[in-house]
Amino acid sequence: MLAQYDSSPREAAAGAVPYLKLTGTVAGGWQMVRAARIAHHLLASSEENAAFLRGKIAAARFYAEHVLPEAETWRDEITLGATSTLALEEALF
């Protein structure tokens, strides 16, 4: 977005919302992995809260398999979606 902004600010701005969605999706994955790593470490050292910790690991796997793939969609919308977004003239609404 920054590289595009100087020459085409409207095109760069057209990708702003999907960029925020991409950031949230990836940051969420990062936090899920952090929690899963901690849970894995705690499971290896103790059986205390084992069901909860296994749940953390399962949730991270779910996120990785079902939510993180959305990042590709957001990437494509950021890099390819400006033309159709900017084709929507305000007068059409």
Side-chain angles (χ1 to χ4, degrees), residues 20 36 42 80:
L20 289 174
L42 291 173
L80 305 172

Side-chain angles (χ1 to χ4, degrees), residues 33-47 53 57:
V33 167
R34 286 184 65 224
R37 289 183 69 195
I38 293 167
H40 180 75
H41 174 73
L42 291 173
L43 272 174
S45 64
S46 170
E47 279 297 311
L53 296 172
I57 294 167

Side-chain angles (χ1 to χ4, degrees), residues 8-93:
S8 305
R10 292 185 67 224
E11 285 81 1
V17 170
Y19 183 81
L20 289 174
K21 291 177 181 180
L22 172 66
T23 302
T25 300
V26 173
W30 167 50
Q31 293 302 313
M32 295 296 281
V33 167
R34 286 184 65 224
R37 289 183 69 195
I38 293 167
H40 180 75
H41 174 73
L42 291 173
L43 272 174
S45 64
S46 170
E47 279 297 311
E48 191 174 331
N49 299 317
F52 174 78
L53 296 172
R54 283 193 298 272
K56 286 289 186 185
I57 294 167
R61 181 174 181 168
F62 176 88
Y63 194 94
E65 293 176 354
H66 295 274
V67 178
L68 275 180
E70 295 173 8
E72 290 183 40
T73 301
W74 302 131
R75 178 205 58 208
D76 292 346
E77 192 172 337
I78 293 163
T79 58
L80 305 172
T83 303
S84 61
T85 300
L86 296 175
L88 301 169
E89 299 173 25
E90 189 174 336
L92 297 174
F93 297 93

